[in-house]
Amino acid sequence: MNRVLITSAIPYINGIKHLGNLVGSQLPADLYARYNRGRGREVMFICATDEHGTPAELAAAKAGKPVAEFCAEMHAVQSEIADGFRLSFDNFGRSSSDRNHKLTQHFAGKLAENGLIEEVSEKQVYSHADGRFLPDRYIEGTCPNCGYDGARGDQCENCTKQLDPTDLIDPRSAISGSTDLEVRETKHLYLRQSKLKDKLDAWIDTKTDWPVLTTSIAKKWLHDGDGLQDRGITRDLDWGVPVKKGDEDWPGMEGKVFYVWFDAPIEYIAATAELADKLGEPDAFWHRWWRTDKGADDVRYVQFMGKDNVPFHTLSFPATIMGSGEPWKLVDYIKSFNYLNYDGGQFSTSKGRGVFMDQALSILPADYWRWWLLSHAPENSDSEFTWENFQTSVNKDLSDVLGNFVSRVTKFCRSKFSEAVPDGGSYGDLENALIADLTSKTRAYESHMEAMDVRKAAQELRGIWVAGNEYLQTAAPWTTFKSDPELAAAQIRLALNLIRFYAVLSAPFIPDASKTMLAAMNTQDDSWPDDVPAALGILRAGHSFTVPENVFAKISDEDRESWQERFAGTRD
C-alpha cells in the first residue's frame, strides 16, 4: 500500500497531557507517519482535541470561562505543545467542529434507519438548583465502601469501586454543591451493539496480525459475562453535538447531546474533512481517504492508542461504521500500548504527579524525550520512567554514541583535511564489511518499523549508530593518517557519508537532530537508503560541510536530581 491513513487517539481537552499520554498514542503515530513519508508513501496523519462531555464542562467551570471559549484556548495550547514535540499532523482538528456535528448526526440517522438505535427510559439524578439532569460524574458524595467523601457517581477514586449515583451517601451536585436532588425518569438513545456482535467477532477474527493486547481486550468485551452490551449514545448536557436524525430533529430528544464516545472517533473522519475545508479542496479530497467507493479501497488505515481506548476502537466505532450500511473505511491495524508509570508510581493528572508535556519541553528539547519514550515504549507490558534511566539513556545513546560520532568525524576532517569531503584512497575489507553489516541492519530496521515494533526499531537504529562507532575505533583514521593519509581520507569520506545516512534513518525518532546533521553535511538529500552502498557514496569528494555544535548535551547529575525533586508531586 502506497497510501497510509494514520490516526492517533484524540487527547481530551481538559488539560495538558503528561508523557504517559504522549507515548501511548500521538508519539508512536508520528514515528510511523514520518517513517512512511520517508519511504515515499502518501500519508494522511490525523489527530484532534476531544472537546465534549462532562470533564470539558467541569474544567471550563473551574477556569471560570464559557466552555466554548475554554475549548478554543486549550486547543491552541495543545496544538502548540504538539508542534513543540514535532508531531507532524496533517491536521489537528476539533471534535466541536461543524463537520463533526454533521457527520455524527448523519451516522446516528443511518443507524436509526437500520434499526440499530433504541430509545430507553432510565432513571437519572436531577438537580433543582442547577435545573438539569446530572451525569454520573457531576454527582459527588461519600463512598459507601470506604467512606471517602469525594467519590463520584460513577466510581470512587480512592478505593476504585464502581458506583451508581444512588449508592452515594449525602450526594451533592459537583456544579453547585446543592443537595436538592431527586431521581427522575429520562429517555436516552442506545446503540444496539449486541445486534452486531457476530459481525464484529468475525471481523476481529480476520485481524490475525493485530497485537495480542488489542485482540484480547476486544474479545473480553465481546464474550465475558453477558457479552457485548448495547450502550447509551446520548447525555443530558448543554455542550456537545445536538441530537438529530441526520438533518431532522429527533422527537423526544430535545436538549440532549450525543455521548462524547460516540462523536469522538467520528472526528477522525471530520478532521480530514476540516483539512479539505482549510485547503479549499472539494469533498473528493477527504472521500478518497475514507470512502471505499471513492478511492479509499487502496488505503491502509492504522490507529494508535492506549489500551483504555481499545474497546471503543475495536467495537463501538466499527459498530457505528458497519451499522451505517455505507462504504466507510474500517481500520486495518490497531497498535495499542500499555501504561507508562512514573518513578515508582503512576502519572497522575489530578495530583500533578509526573512530567507534563509543556514542562518537558521547558527543560530539554523534544528529541531527548522522543528518543527515551519511543525506545522505552510500553508495548508488551507497562514500562516505567525513572530519572536515572532517562539520564543514562540520553547520555549513552544520544550523546556518547550518535553525537560523539558526528563531532569526532567532522572535527578530525577539519583539522587534518578541510571542511570538505576528502579525496583519495579506496575502501578495503573493513569498509566493505561495514557496508554489508549496515545493509543487513537497515533492512531489519525497516522490518521493525513496518511491523510497528517501536522498541525493536529503536534498538536496531542504535545498533546502526554503534556500528559506525565501532568502525571508527577499529579503523582509527587519526592513526592511519600518520602512515597512510590516502586511506585515512577514504575512511573519513565513508564516515561523513554515515552522518547523512544516520540523519535519514533517525529522522522518524529524532527529527530536529536529523535536520541538524543534514544541515551540517550541507545537503537536502534525505532520500531513503534503499541501496545502502549507493547511499554511503552520496557525499562526493570536494562536497563542503560544517562542524555542528554539540548535537546532544549530556544531562548532569545536578540537573537530574533537581528535576526529580521538582516533578515529585505538584503541578507548577
Side-chain angles (χ1 to χ4, degrees):
M1 290 282 185
N2 276 324
R3 297 177 61 219
V4 186
L5 172 64
I6 301 166
T7 60
S8 161
I10 63 181
Y12 211 74
I13 196 70
N14 63 336
I16 293 166
K17 305 297 127 181
H18 55 63
L19 295 182
N21 299 129
L22 177 63
V23 75
S25 56
Q26 292 178 317
L27 189 54
D30 179 71
L31 176 80
Y32 190 61
R34 287 178 177 276
Y35 168 74
N36 276 284
R37 291 190 195 107
R39 300 305 305 272
R41 295 165 189 153
E42 187 183 3
V43 170
M44 179 63 71
F45 179 25
I46 292 296
C47 194
T49 38
D50 185 359
E51 301 189 8
H52 296 139
T54 307
E57 289 196 12
L58 288 177
K62 188 176 179 181
K65 295 179 178 177
V67 65
E69 180 184 327
F70 172 81
C71 288
E73 288 180 8
M74 283 307 302
H75 174 81
V77 169
Q78 290 200 18
S79 183
E80 184 180 356
I81 292 171
D83 288 344
F85 274 99
R86 308 299 184 249
L87 303 177
S88 58
F89 305 127
D90 287 290
N91 191 40
F92 187 59
R94 300 183 61 188
S95 69
S96 61
S97 68
D98 287 342
R99 281 286 196 176
N100 199 41
H101 278 227
K102 289 182 171 57
L103 267 171
T104 299
Q105 291 161 345
H106 169 81
F107 274 108
K110 289 296 176 185
L111 290 163
E113 281 178 25
N114 295 330
L116 292 168
I117 300 284
E118 183 178 14
E119 289 190 19
V120 176
S121 289
E122 56 186 38
K123 289 182 165 56
Q124 200 170 334
V125 175
Y126 183 85
S127 167
H128 291 277
D130 299 303
R132 60 184 288 177
F133 284 99
L134 298 178
D136 296 350
R137 289 174 64 95
Y138 272 37
I139 306 159
E140 294 176 345
T142 301
C143 176
N145 185 54
C146 71
Y148 176 62
D149 68 357
R152 293 193 307 261
D154 57 350
Q155 185 179 24
C156 175
E157 190 180 76
N158 187 55
C159 69
T160 73
K161 185 175 177 61
Q162 300 286 315
L163 298 169
D164 287 320
T166 50
D167 296 332
L168 294 173
I169 300 166
D170 299 326
R172 62 188 179 275
S173 165
I175 304 168
S176 63
S178 172
T179 58
D180 186 10
L181 311 176
E182 72 167 285
V183 176
R184 286 187 182 179
E185 197 164 278
T186 181
K187 275 189 177 180
H188 281 291
L189 301 179
Y190 273 66
L191 175 60
R192 301 177 72 183
Q193 296 182 138
S194 57
K195 291 190 72 173
L196 294 164
K197 176 180 177 286
D198 291 343
K199 192 172 183 179
L200 288 164
D201 207 8
W203 173 66
I204 289 166
D205 282 341
T206 68
K207 305 301 181 183
T208 54
D209 62 334
W210 281 12
V212 172
L213 179 65
T214 303
T215 51
S216 62
I217 292 171
K219 288 289 187 178
K220 183 180 172 73
W221 278 60
L222 277 168
H223 299 293
D224 277 14
D226 295 327
L228 185 63
Q229 299 296 297
D230 297 342
R231 64 181 262 267
I233 61 166
T234 56
R235 288 290 185 270
D236 289 295
L237 291 171
D238 295 326
W239 174 248
V241 178
V243 175
K244 282 192 163 188
K245 194 180 291 185
D247 295 328
E248 300 171 10
D249 291 334
W250 204 310
M253 292 294 124
E254 295 83 7
K256 297 182 190 292
V257 299
F258 285 108
Y259 180 31
V260 61
W261 260 113
F262 182 67
D263 81 77
I266 295 169
E267 170 59 16
Y268 297 142
I269 305 172
T272 318
E274 290 167 44
L275 177 60
D277 295 340
K278 285 181 188 176
L279 298 174
E281 296 284 352
D283 283 347
F285 173 91
W286 64 270
H287 283 164
R288 66 189 288 267
W289 291 101
W290 287 105
R291 296 277 303 210
T292 56
D293 59 338
K294 297 182 179 179
D297 50 348
D298 68 346
V299 168
R300 176 165 168 76
Y301 177 20
V302 181
Q303 295 175 345
F304 289 79
M305 70 199 64
K307 60 186 176 184
D308 52 329
N309 283 330
V310 167
F312 301 103
H313 289 79
T314 55
L315 304 171
S316 300
F317 186 38
T320 298
I321 289 179
M322 291 176 181
S324 74
E326 296 179 322
W328 297 99
K329 176 69 183 174
L330 279 163
V331 65
D332 293 299
Y333 191 89
I334 296 179
K335 176 69 175 181
S336 55
F337 290 84
N338 287 285
Y339 295 140
L340 177 70
N341 293 319
Y342 178 75
D343 224 2
Q346 290 185 323
F347 279 93
S348 172
T349 301
S350 60
K351 294 174 183 172
R353 188 173 190 278
V355 188
F356 290 75
M357 289 170 67
D358 58 336
Q359 295 170 326
L361 292 175
S362 75
I363 60 175
L364 283 171
D367 280 354
Y368 292 69
W369 301 107
R370 288 178 64 104
W371 173 252
W372 189 91
L373 290 166
L374 291 166
S375 61
H376 294 78
E379 290 176 292
N380 298 321
S381 62
D382 292 353
S383 58
E384 183 170 14
F385 177 93
T386 69
W387 286 101
E388 291 82 0
N389 185 296
F390 178 66
Q391 178 191 27
T392 299
S393 182
V394 164
N395 290 354
K396 284 189 174 178
D397 298 349
L398 298 181
S399 183
D400 289 348
V401 179
L402 181 60
N404 191 42
F405 180 87
V406 174
S407 179
R408 289 171 77 190
V409 170
T410 54
K411 286 178 180 176
F412 177 78
C413 188
R414 178 174 64 184
S415 67
K416 299 300 182 184
F417 298 100
S418 68
E419 287 191 24
V421 179
D423 197 1
S426 57
Y427 295 165
D429 291 344
L430 198 59
E431 289 69 37
N432 291 329
L434 173 66
I435 291 169
D437 183 39
L438 288 174
T439 300
S440 171
K441 281 182 163 62
T442 300
R443 299 293 90 88
Y445 174 62
E446 292 166 352
S447 176
H448 295 319
M449 290 289 263
E450 296 289 347
M452 283 160 276
D453 288 330
V454 178
R455 290 177 78 146
K456 287 180 180 177
Q459 190 176 5
E460 198 67 53
L461 179 60
R462 187 185 187 280
I464 290 168
W465 299 341
V466 167
N469 277 272
E470 290 177 344
Y471 164 76
L472 208 60
Q473 286 299 106
T474 305
W478 41 87
T479 302
T480 309
F481 182 79
K482 297 171 186 173
S483 58
D484 191 346
E486 288 279 304
L487 177 56
Q491 292 168 341
I492 288 297
R493 189 163 61 249
L494 177 57
L496 288 167
N497 271 284
L498 268 176
I499 295 173
R500 191 206 72 87
F501 181 77
Y502 288 166
V504 174
L505 290 182
S506 306
F509 281 90
I510 45 174
D512 286 349
S514 171
K515 286 181 182 175
T516 297
M517 289 188 279
L518 285 174
M521 292 301 99
N522 191 27
T523 181
Q524 295 181 341
D525 186 342
D526 60 357
S527 56
W528 195 263
D530 295 313
D531 182 337
V532 171
L536 291 171
I538 284 175
L539 303 183
R540 301 189 180 280
H543 180 91
S544 65
F545 67 87
T546 56
V547 177
E549 292 295 317
N550 195 5
V551 181
F552 288 104
K554 286 196 170 186
I555 296 173
S556 69
D557 289 344
E558 293 75 20
D559 278 339
R560 171 182 57 78
E561 289 164 6
S562 155
W563 296 334
Q564 194 161 7
E565 184 178 346
R566 176 180 165 189
F567 299 111
T570 52
R571 178 91 164 90
D572 289 348

